[in-house]
Every structure is written in C-alpha cells, then in structure tokens.
Amino acid sequence: EVVPTCERYAVRRLPFARLADGDVAFFERLMPGRVVTGEEEVKPFNVDWLKSVRGCSQLVLKPQTTAEVSQVLRYCHERNLAVNPQGGNTGLVGGSVPVFDEIILSTALMNQIISFDKVSGILVCQAGCVLERLSEYLEEQGFIMPLDLGAKGSCHIGGNVATNAGGLRLLRYGSLRGTVLGLEVVLADGSALDCLTSLRKDNTGYDLKQLFIGSEGTLGVITAVSILCPQKPKAVNLAFLGCQSFAKVLETFTTCRVMLGEILSAYEFMDEKCMELVERHLKLSSPVTDSPFYVLIETSGSNSTHDEEKLNNFLEQAMASGLVTDGTVATDDKKIKVLWGLRERITEALTHEGYVYKYDISLPVGKLYDLVTDMRARLGQSAKNVVGYGHLGDGNLHLNITAESYSHSLLDAIEPFVYEWTARCSGSISAEHGLGFKKKQFIQYSKPHQAVVLMQQFKAMLDPKGILNPYKTLPSAL
C-alpha cells in the first residue's frame, strides 16, 4: 500500500474548502453518470503510474466539453475547492494525482478529433485523445504525430502538452513548443481562452500558448490542441548497435550525424544494466549481446534505396573504425517494433525491481554518463541498481536507482547530490518529465530566483486562489 503523499512528505493542506454533499449534487446535475464517488472506483485516479505517490480525493469528474470544464472550474473557484487536472496519469513526478482531497478533473472523455487538414498537416483535437489513437488516425492519412513516447498507449495529448513531453522523436521534430500551434484553455475562474489557431505564423502580441505548455495544469486546464504533424516517412530503418565504451557511443553519434544528416530521426542509448533488466523482467531478448552500451539509431526518409545506402555506409565506417562491435538492422515494421521495445520498455522493467528513484536530466552530451558512474561509486551496495539510458541525441539522461523498498537514508544520499552535480554542469534537473510534486522544491538548481518569482507572479495572476493543481511545480516558499 502506498503511503499518502501528504504523510510521507509532511505537507500541510492549504485552506481550501472541503467537499460537501451539495457540491456532489451540483456536479451530478451538470454531468449525470460522469461523476465518480465510490472509494474503490476513485482509487486508481488517486495513485500515480509508479505507485509512489497517493492522494485522498473522493470525487472524479469526467467532462466531455469545454463548456462543462468551464462550469466545473467556475463553481470550484467560487467555492474555493482545489482541482487536480488529470490526463492519462502516466506522469513520473507526482504531478497528475492529488496530494490531499483535491477534486480530480479527468479529461478521459474529451477524446474527439475535431479536424485534420491533409494539405497543411494540422490536427485539431480535444485534450483527452490518447497519443497512440491519434498516431493511428494520422497514419491512415499518411501523417504521424511529431511526438512518440513509451506511454503512448495511455497518455493524453493534453497531458503531453501540459508537461511539454519530449520523447523519442524530439531530435527530428523538435519539442511541443514548436509543433503546437494553438490551444484552448479554461482558466481557474472558469473563463475559456480560445487561442486554437491553425496558423504556422502568427506574430500578434505575446505567444500565450507557451505559458500553458509545460505549466503542468497549474495555470489552466488545456481542453483542445492544434498541432502540426509531419508526413509519414516512406522509409524507416533501425540499427541496434553495441559499443564498448561511452566515449565510443559519443563518437558514433558524431559520425552518424555527419553521415546520416537529414534522415536521422532518433539516437537512443542504454547501458548493459538496462538490457539485463529488460531481458530478466520482461523476457525480451536482444539480438546484440555482451556490450557495455547499446545504441538505437532510427532513420526516416522518403526514399528507401537512398536511406539504406546512407545507413549501410555509416555502419561500414562505424564497424571498420571500431566504434561499433556488433549490430543488427531492421527495415520491416515488426522487427522495428521489437527493437524499439528493448528501449521503450526499460521504465516498465525497472518497476519490477522494487522502489525506483527516477531522475530526468539534461546535460552537455559529453558528460552525460559521468553522473551514472559517480552515482554508482557514491551509493555502492546501498542501491540495488544504478542505470542510465536516454535520448542522447538531445542530451537527456534518464538516471534510475532501484532498491527493494523506499528508504529515506538512500534518498538523502541521492538528493540534493544529483541536483548539485547537474547544476555544476549547467544542466537541467528536469529535461522532459516536469517538476510535478516531487521536484518542485529543487527548481532553484536550474532557474534563477528572479525567474521563479516571475513564475509565481504569473500563477497569482491567472489563479489568484491557487486552486489549480496546488502543491505542484512551484516551490511552496523560497
């Protein structure tokens, strides 16, 4: 059983109103049959995907329209009731579940595709659309989503945007800050802000959507998204390679960037410990073995002959110069999926290890693995495993430390050491997962005091009563 977050972290409840029978009656009139109150029914919404934090909400609301979200927030604002917006609940920093008894506002039923323009590649949809469903819909039209992540089967596009999710395609298509063209957002007082433009160029005043991208539900509830989608590549190739050292992983990246150029769409790495866990816990087997590091290189282009020739030239060079000791190439969908599974399912494999301390860090690429090595030396036998993997192409390390169960002394050995180490390298303590509940007190390692104060001023202006996703993202007091 997961200890309630407020008890484990000794957080104080802010003076919000308590839920009353009259409140539940109001919501039941507003959306009959879409109000969840039973203890067992509410339970899954209270616990995060990692089962590491747990709230005590007694009420889940499932609106279907922006108008309903507006009415819910207007009512909660008047009553001073705190609200926890929730998408697919796949977050890894405790941002998507309540800390106390906040009302959970689930976007699960806001799953309509509003429009898709085949000429421009612009998709407009509600925030509760599941990423994988959007990908499937677009593929039928000859397009793809510009983002892809391991949780695609359950994460919502609204949650992706609210957390500015990064994922596996960022190297090629950039972040959501570039591909999201417009948003519809409901503010804390219930007013709807329609910035759902479908224009690639719009230079009229401040770019308000950027405030909400990455705001983790603390400034407004995203209800619809307009996003630019690239054409589906005609040719996709995947190379899965073994490297003998991290220096070779880096050199392979430099070489492949030069030789593959515009067709390079992903460059992922994982250490041998990751591979061991994926094989042991998920019974997956790797076609490449006995390497300290593994690299996954994806190319996406419009001409398979051209792409394969480029990839083969690169592989010949990498093998001949000793950068790579072993490897396999996949061109058919089935084999590509199997190889991606080895990388995408590491998070899942880690959950079988007991308790996982997760860190998602941006660092200068050359220093990326030094943190894993230093952490192993620091923790010694007190941790079960210390593993490193991630999006090497954009300098994003996922550092994971496992133990049989949660231990405060182990946490003290990891934090703030991991953040101090990152700050010394001018890195970011959260590359793509956000700050949520777990990391908010460490924001100063990546942002100057003045920037945090400005963020708090934005929060106070847009959510004066502080009812939206309280206890998250911004530090309680600096």
Side-chain angles (χ1 to χ4, degrees):
E1 185 67 8
V2 188
V3 180
T5 310
C6 51
E7 288 174 26
R8 176 183 285 175
Y9 293 91
V11 195
R12 273 214 183 127
R13 186 182 185 276
L14 292 171
F16 297 113
R18 303 263 179 191
L19 193 66
D21 291 346
D23 301 323
V24 179
F26 170 82
F27 295 126
E28 278 173 343
R29 280 196 303 278
L30 178 64
M31 48 181 101
R34 290 178 283 121
V35 174
V36 183
T37 51
E39 195 179 328
E40 280 308 302
E41 289 84 350
V42 171
K43 207 174 182 179
F45 297 89
N46 266 315
V47 184
D48 76 327
W49 186 81
L50 287 171
K51 299 193 168 35
S52 63
V53 287
R54 177 163 75 86
C56 311
S57 179
Q58 296 150 0
L59 180 68
V60 178
L61 304 177
K62 292 185 172 181
Q64 284 177 319
T65 64
T66 302
E68 287 178 345
V69 175
S70 281
Q71 286 172 282
V72 166
L73 288 184
R74 189 176 303 122
Y75 182 88
C76 290
H77 188 257
E78 282 168 14
R79 277 274 293 118
N80 196 30
L81 289 162
V83 177
N84 181 104
Q86 188 178 95
N89 195 13
T90 60
L92 301 175
V93 288
S96 57
V97 294
V99 176
F100 290 93
D101 55 348
E102 300 90 277
I103 292 168
I104 296 169
L105 180 64
S106 166
T107 55
L109 299 181
M110 299 185 73
N111 56 6
Q112 300 303 304
I113 290 167
I114 299 164
S115 67
F116 178 65
D117 184 324
K118 272 185 141 176
V119 179
S120 63
I122 295 166
L123 171 79
V124 182
C125 63
Q126 284 188 300
C129 290
V130 171
L131 182 58
E132 194 166 46
R133 185 177 159 245
L134 291 178
S135 297
E136 287 163 1
Y137 168 82
L138 287 168
E139 284 198 25
E140 287 168 17
Q141 324 271 334
F143 287 78
I144 57 169
M145 285 298 281
L147 99 149
D148 186 17
L149 24 125
K152 60 181 167 241
S154 42
C155 65
H156 296 182
I157 189 63
N160 296 149
V161 172
T163 56
N164 188 29
L168 306 156
R169 286 186 179 146
L170 193 132
L171 176 66
R172 176 69 166 271
Y173 300 118
S175 80
L176 287 172
R177 295 200 177 277
T179 51
V180 170
L181 302 176
L183 292 176
E184 179 185 68
V185 181
V186 177
L187 302 178
D189 64 359
S191 53
L193 176 68
D194 184 356
C195 291
L196 203 59
T197 175
S198 290
L199 300 170
R200 289 194 64 181
K201 295 176 117 174
D202 176 11
N203 228 349
T204 50
Y206 305 133
D207 189 0
L208 293 178
K209 69 173 180 289
Q210 296 295 353
L211 261 185
F212 300 97
I213 299 172
S215 67
E216 303 187 61
T218 61
L219 299 178
V221 177
I222 295 169
T223 50
V225 177
S226 165
I227 189 163
L228 181 67
C229 304
Q231 295 255 200
K232 183 182 177 182
K234 287 192 173 69
V236 176
N237 297 296
L238 205 64
F240 193 79
L241 313 171
C243 292
Q244 290 304 306
S245 67
F246 191 71
K248 295 259 170 84
V249 170
L250 291 174
E251 217 181 316
T252 305
F253 176 54
T254 312
T255 310
C256 104
R257 238 188 343 189
V258 171
M259 294 186 73
L260 299 177
E262 78 291 347
I263 63 168
L264 177 64
S265 52
Y267 191 99
E268 301 285 312
F269 91 99
M270 56 199 273
D271 62 21
E272 60 185 337
K273 277 268 181 236
C274 292
M275 182 64 82
E276 206 181 284
L277 297 177
V278 166
E279 290 181 327
R280 187 187 330 148
H281 296 303
L282 307 179
K283 305 291 180 268
L284 302 182
S285 64
S286 167
V288 183
T289 53
D290 301 325
S291 295
F293 293 94
Y294 297 91
V295 168
L296 195 147
I297 298 169
E298 183 189 73
T299 65
S300 309
S302 56
N303 184 320
S304 56
T305 316
H306 165 269
D307 294 4
E308 280 175 39
E309 190 185 329
K310 266 190 151 173
L311 185 59
N312 288 333
N313 287 343
F314 156 71
L315 291 172
E316 276 172 29
Q317 162 113 0
M319 290 294 227
S321 56
L323 292 179
V324 168
T325 47
D326 192 5
T328 185
V329 175
T331 49
D332 68 284
D333 279 357
K334 205 172 170 193
K335 194 176 173 192
I336 285 172
K337 278 200 168 78
V338 168
L339 289 178
W340 262 121
L342 295 171
R343 160 62 186 87
E344 285 188 303
R345 295 181 68 191
I346 296 170
T347 309
E348 187 190 334
L350 282 158
T351 59
H352 293 269
E353 281 283 283
Y355 189 85
V356 190
Y357 301 83
K358 301 190 84 64
Y359 300 91
D360 156 48
I361 286 156
S362 267
L363 288 167
V365 183
K367 295 198 168 104
L368 207 63
Y369 202 72
D370 294 351
L371 178 54
V372 184
T373 314
D374 285 3
M375 193 55 89
R376 271 190 194 135
R378 180 178 170 84
L379 299 180
Q381 297 303 303
S382 59
K384 201 168 164 186
N385 272 307
V386 178
V387 306
Y389 64 97
H391 318 295
L392 189 122
D394 44 64
N396 179 187
L397 169 74
H398 293 309
L399 167 73
N400 286 251
I401 296 149
T402 65
E404 286 298 342
S405 57
Y406 173 80
S407 142
H408 208 73
S409 60
L410 183 54
L411 183 67
D412 287 344
I414 303 167
E415 297 175 11
F417 174 84
V418 64
Y419 301 129
E420 288 164 352
W421 198 104
T422 304
R424 275 198 303 277
C425 296
S426 305
S428 166
I429 65 159
S430 179
E432 57 179 8
H433 294 165
L435 294 164
F437 174 78
K438 291 181 179 177
K439 310 273 158 88
K440 62 170 190 160
Q441 291 301 126
F442 301 108
I443 192 171
Q444 73 275 13
Y445 286 101
S446 292
K447 288 286 185 290
H449 178 73
Q450 202 175 358
V452 178
V453 169
L454 196 55
M455 289 181 203
Q456 286 168 326
Q457 288 169 342
F458 279 128
K459 170 74 172 167
M461 178 181 73
L462 290 169
D463 181 13
K465 292 186 173 179
I467 64 166
L468 282 178
N469 222 7
Y471 323 102
K472 318 277 177 64
T473 307
L474 295 175
S476 320
L478 274 182

